[in-house]
Amino acid sequence: MEPATFARALGRAGGWSIEDYLAAGGYRAARKALLEMTPAAVLDEVKKASLRGRGGAGFPAGLKWGFVPPGTDRPKYLCVNADEGEPGTFKDRYILGHDPHLLIEGVLIAAYAVGLHRAYVYIRGEYEMIARRLEAAAAEAYERQFLGPDVLGTGFALDLWVHRGAGSYICGEETALLESLEGKRGHPRLKPPFPAAVGLFGAPTVINNVETLANVPGIVLRGAAWFLGLGLPADGGTRLFGVSGPVLRPGVYELPVGTSLREIIFTHAGGMLPGRKLKAVIPGGLSAPILRAEEIDLAMSCEALVCAGSMLGSGGIIVIDDRTSMLEVLLRAARFYAHESCGQCTPCRLGTNWIRKIVERLAAGGGRPGDIEELARLASGIKGRTLCPMGDAAAMPVLAIVEKFTSELEEASCRS
Amino acid sequence: MPKLTIDGRTLAVAEGTTVLRAALEASISIPHLCWHPAFPPEGSCRLCLVEIEGFPKLELACSTAVREGMKVRTETPAVRESRRRVLEFLLADHPVDCPICDKAGECKLQDYYEDHGLTESVFREEKERRPKNIDLGKNLLLDRERCVLCTRCVRFLREVTRTGELGVFERGVRSEIGILEGRPVATPYGGNLVDLCPVGAITDRSFRFRTRTWFLVSRPTICPLCARGCAIDIDHHPGLPRRADSAGVFRVRPRPDEAVNGFWICDLGRYGYLDLHRRRLTRISWNRGGPAAEMSRAKILSVLGGKIREMAVRGRSSRLGLVLNSGLTVEELRSVRDGLLSRLPEARLWFDDPPPGEDDGFLLRAERTANRRGAAGLGFDLAPFDPAVLGKDLDIILVFGGLSVGKGRDEVLGQALASIGTKVLLSPVETGLEPAFDFLIPTALPSEKSGTFINVDGLARSFEPAIPVAAGVWPEGEFLAALAEEISRGA
């Protein structure tokens, strides 16, 4: 297959320096955008490319940029969500660590298209080495005038700051991210107003995932049609799929949107480890509802996954084999969400903890009749009723595991 | 004005009104814990979710702005089920110690549970244990097991007093309200946190375990302790036949009045006024050196009335002195002007208002009486009073004691009075000045009377008695009317 957007950098030792990036044709897209295109033309190209957000929600990026009111006197901000905290997700770190200039170039083009001059990269606190690498890359970009008061001699100004998070899952939720950037508790905000109108420091703000922005240079350089050709009409380009679990070759794979899940697991990731049998797959990070082994013949696109009752999410594919207890999977998920709930709204704060307590009791062999139904009832009491999407993120995996693996859970929880 | 329907009722509301406000204006109740009219919507309790036609999910009433033609339903099975689930989550982690909780009877969580549940708990796990008696500073105690994390207290201290003593610490189910070590709640508006708390998490040491809310009768009145004249409610216990000490005033709480005090009162008003209700004068008495002798109203009226009538008849009204204060109501002051002064045109008149206190830039004003504007409007001269002007040219002096808390000029006044023949003190509370007077007449606190105050901004607020007049008390208005009649008798 033709190496698409990212492959040129992946696996290239030391390839994160600006010299290597420029040698590989880097910043050509930025030159083209800033020197040859109007901001409106850039925006139009991204819209036509059907670039959907790679962070989890899958919202079309061009549309999001278009929501920012043009010609306002207020400052505008771009926030790059590099808080990659969804369990099973480890794709953005490849871009940040191996190809940081690809992100910076994407940021530059996005800033030009939207007409903003300040960008923040909110990076997961645990990514210390990667944050330093990104900071070094930003310093290089300043030196070469890809950032700073006069980008490429065009007079366009762009400043970029790298801000490290402190390890909270919720700060990957875009409005909690804004609060955290402002120096407050990472509590999601009530919407509306949406960040495009009232975002960082009360100013219009675009928030994009790392991978989303990393796709932008390719779109600008080769055009929306090329990008669309890689993927699907309503969901263009390639995606980075992070495959983890008992497969032969776990890792990050760049594949066209719409590649079959079976193909990803059994062809690209090399299939199951010897002697293991596929039992289930979590297709888009832990929050994506689980699929049974027989449900994996589907195209990895936003729409197809929703049709299958799950979601493409962050593209983090967690493969689960027959040696893994679903009760254990449920326990990990329940503990994770109870631990990471920010505590702001009632159903998530108290519901996730209630679920955790029941699942811990089940895992200790203390199951009682009705427990499984109770878990489903509690999760449905959270779903759709919380202040931010984390409620759904916590409830959906529980609902799916409970529904699809009822008898296994019942057996496992009555061992003693 | 956009129109919407709520539960089939068509309402027209102002542009930008939220569904919850629209409902409340129409007396349609939608349960809510975190929302409070003083703050922007918080959206965290999730109790106010309602059905809005055309929306796929239930929507927050507190934050959804009304749009033309919106159709809202607040009592559908889905809405009630959603509320039940939120209540279930809250109650699963709640101690349900209502029998010993001060808030019981006026607790929102309790009310909503009664409206939506009354079901057995299905929570079979171990409840979270949390500290139940945390000193937040001032009179405030925090019970974290009862807390529903609505954060009204946190937001009040951030947005209203801007002192920010409270915050949310930790995360998830471990989230807790707290202070920074060594930085307790210090704002002189801290008492409002108790009213703001929708449950029994923040309680008031002065109220704690003293009575049950359902025994209390709550009535509106005006706080008399500064020129703001905050709207308040006074909660009193009418008394239980079997407990002699049960009666009395237990709480002073703010009553919303947007133009005057918003939703708040200061702690001086709350606790200072409460305290005055506990230091009452209760007997009309004659101070003859030795134990004071109790007198009847008729007796003192005839003694005083006789003397003053004689002055009037002999044209010696200049030998009568009146020391008033601008804590008296418009009606009482008018009665002095039209009832007494018309008959005693040369009577000497002074206003003895307490010295200015601190103006805190928020509600509390430097003028520590409630009706200076009212007094000035009636034409009285409010020049500062110097007790030294009281001289031998007075035969009778009537001093209306003010309500100022902790005033320090009493001794000077006592000495200045020494040369006057008949000295009468009319005061609702003990002032320490009593020994300097010949006659004491206990008068009413504003909470016991009706009247009008005109506050520092010129806003007139009338009030009716909020509590029964204490035994032995002679409200100033009634006294003045009786005295005027007594003087006129035979004239």
Side-chain angles (χ1 to χ4, degrees), chain A residues 149-171:
Chain A
D150 184 17
V151 174
L152 296 170
T154 59
F156 182 79
L158 178 63
D159 280 309
L160 182 140
W161 290 269
V162 177
H163 182 93
R164 292 179 54 192
S168 164
Y169 174 68
I170 198 64
C171 289

Side-chain angles (χ1 to χ4, degrees), chain A residues 30-311:
Chain A
R31 280 182 205 283
K32 180 180 173 190
L34 269 72
L35 300 174
E36 297 166 25
M37 295 169 78
T38 63
V42 177
L43 178 59
D44 196 45
E45 203 63 27
V46 173
K47 276 185 181 165
K48 277 195 288 191
S50 289
L51 169 61
R52 300 186 62 157
R54 275 20 179 181
F59 195 82
L63 213 53
K64 202 185 236 186
W65 295 1
F67 289 152
V68 173
T72 167
D73 290 340
R74 288 187 293 166
K76 293 181 258 188
Y77 296 99
L78 172 64
C79 292
V80 183
N81 190 343
D83 194 51
E84 193 159 57
E86 182 68 25
T89 309
F90 42 89
K91 61 184 181 69
D92 292 337
R93 60 175 296 157
Y94 274 80
I95 300 168
L96 293 160
H98 292 270
D99 215 358
H101 284 287
L102 182 63
L103 172 66
I104 294 173
E105 188 175 6
V107 168
L108 173 56
I109 297 168
Y112 176 72
V114 181
L116 54 86
H117 308 286
R118 295 174 180 87
Y120 291 90
V121 181
Y122 188 97
I123 188 166
R124 180 180 164 89
E126 290 86 338
Y127 286 177
E128 186 175 342
M129 178 272 279
I130 293 169
R132 283 206 297 265
R133 201 173 275 180
L134 183 63
E135 276 164 350
E140 289 175 331
Y142 268 106
E143 213 170 278
R144 305 279 183 120
Q145 272 194 304
F146 294 113
L147 291 173
D150 184 17
V151 174
L152 296 170
T154 59
F156 182 79
L158 178 63
D159 280 309
L160 182 140
W161 290 269
V162 177
H163 182 93
R164 292 179 54 192
S168 164
Y169 174 68
I170 198 64
C171 289
E173 193 282 330
E174 59 179 18
T175 57
L177 184 153
L178 296 180
E179 290 283 298
S180 176
L181 253 182
E182 290 181 5
K184 301 176 191 153
R185 257 175 100 74
H187 269 182
R189 295 177 182 172
L190 197 57
K191 293 190 254 191
F194 291 91
V198 182
L200 187 63
F201 304 121
T205 302
V206 174
I207 304 158
N208 284 139
N209 169 260
V210 170
E211 186 189 343
T212 312
L213 288 165
N215 272 301
V216 170
I219 292 169
V220 167
L221 204 59
R222 305 202 210 179
W226 163 82
F227 190 77
L228 273 173
L230 292 173
L232 303 173
D235 199 346
T238 60
R239 285 192 70 132
L240 294 179
F241 294 105
V243 187
S244 62
V247 289
L248 272 172
R249 290 191 301 274
V252 178
Y253 295 88
E254 184 188 5
L255 295 165
V257 171
T259 305
S260 120
L261 179 55
R262 180 177 296 281
E263 184 191 327
I264 296 172
I265 296 171
F266 284 96
T267 307
H268 301 286
M272 303 301 290
L273 288 175
R276 310 290 184 92
K277 205 168 141 247
L278 181 69
K279 179 156 139 188
V281 180
I282 297 173
L286 185 59
S287 306
I290 199 163
L291 300 171
R292 292 193 200 90
E294 61 271 25
E295 291 176 300
I296 64 167
D297 289 301
L298 33 86
M300 290 293 274
S301 74
C302 295
E303 267 78 31
L305 265 290
V306 168
C307 289
S310 186
M311 62 180 194

Side-chain angles (χ1 to χ4, degrees), chain B residues 233-436:
Chain B
D233 281 322
I234 287 216
D235 297 351
H236 81 279
H237 192 317
L240 289 170
R242 289 170 60 198
R243 268 199 60 185
D245 61 343
S246 60
V249 173
F250 279 78
R251 281 194 303 204
V252 172
R253 294 184 297 165
R255 177 165 50 86
D257 186 334
E258 198 126 354
V260 177
N261 53 304
F263 300 89
W264 327 114
I265 55 170
C266 70
D267 286 355
L268 178 72
R270 183 184 302 265
Y271 302 115
Y273 195 30
L274 189 61
D275 189 46
L276 289 180
H277 285 88
R278 294 169 180 157
R279 301 197 283 124
R280 300 303 302 280
L281 281 175
T282 53
R283 296 191 311 167
I284 301 173
S285 58
W286 181 16
N287 199 349
R288 292 181 296 186
E294 190 164 349
M295 291 179 90
S296 68
R297 286 186 181 190
K299 176 74 179 163
I300 193 161
L301 198 60
S302 78
V303 171
L304 281 180
K307 289 185 184 210
I308 296 173
R309 186 168 58 234
E310 202 181 316
M311 280 178 166
V313 170
R314 295 188 179 184
R316 295 182 61 183
S317 61
S318 66
R319 299 194 67 82
L320 172 69
L322 285 167
V323 178
L324 305 174
N325 65 73
S326 61
L328 296 168
T329 65
V330 168
E331 292 78 1
E332 287 158 355
L333 291 169
R334 187 179 291 129
S335 174
V336 170
R337 189 187 68 184
D338 302 343
L340 282 186
L341 297 182
S342 63
R343 294 171 176 87
L344 304 155
E346 284 162 51
R348 310 284 302 280
L349 197 70
W350 297 278
F351 268 76
D352 183 20
D353 279 345
E358 176 218 359
D359 183 326
D360 72 358
F362 183 33
L363 295 179
L364 185 65
R365 302 308 302 255
E367 289 174 16
R368 293 300 164 86
T369 52
N371 197 29
R372 270 179 84 83
R373 298 296 173 284
L378 289 167
F380 287 107
D381 174 11
L382 302 178
F385 166 70
D386 178 4
V389 303
L390 299 176
K392 293 197 169 57
D393 51 348
L394 292 179
D395 292 333
I396 303 178
I397 188 157
L398 300 180
V399 177
F400 288 82
L403 292 174
S404 75
V405 182
K407 74 176 183 180
R409 304 195 306 148
D410 303 350
E411 216 165 298
V412 185
L413 184 61
Q415 283 165 5
L417 290 169
S419 60
I420 303 170
T422 304
K423 304 175 283 281
V424 185
L425 175 65
L426 299 107
S427 173
V429 291
E430 294 166 10
T431 61
L433 212 59
E434 292 80 3

Side-chain angles (χ1 to χ4, degrees), chain A residues 167-170 185 187 190-191 338-347 349-351 353-354 356-358 361 368 371 374 376-382 384-387 392, chain B residues 41-46 49 57-58 60 62-63 78 81-83 85-86 88-90 92-93 122-128 130 147-149 168-175:
Chain A
S168 164
Y169 174 68
I170 198 64
R185 257 175 100 74
H187 269 182
L190 197 57
K191 293 190 254 191
H339 183 72
E340 294 294 346
S341 168
C342 83
Q344 187 179 194
C345 76
T346 309
R349 177 179 74 247
L350 297 168
N353 193 51
W354 191 343
R356 174 185 66 84
K357 284 180 172 177
I358 294 178
R361 179 163 53 73
R368 290 191 286 248
D371 278 339
E374 183 67 357
R377 197 183 71 88
L378 292 172
S380 66
I382 301 172
R385 295 174 206 209
T386 54
L387 195 149
D392 289 359
Chain B
E42 178 77 355
S44 66
C45 77
R46 316 306 287 177
L49 290 166
K57 292 199 287 188
L58 300 180
L60 287 177
C62 70
S63 67
E81 171 63 10
S82 174
R83 284 178 201 155
R85 303 302 286 278
V86 172
E88 183 182 81
F89 285 138
L90 287 170
D93 205 33
V122 293
F123 185 73
R124 298 280 172 270
E125 318 309 311
E126 212 169 302
K127 289 201 187 226
E128 302 291 331
R130 306 172 202 269
C147 175
V148 293
L149 282 166
V168 182
F169 295 82
E170 296 292 335
R171 192 174 70 196
V173 77
R174 303 175 310 286
S175 300

Side-chain angles (χ1 to χ4, degrees), chain B residues 3 56 64 83 192 195 223 330 349 368 403 432 464 478 482:
Chain B
K3 282 202 188 79
T64 306
R83 284 178 201 155
N192 293 297
D195 313 321
C223 175
V330 168
L349 197 70
R368 293 300 164 86
L403 292 174
E464 293 299 316
E478 289 176 32

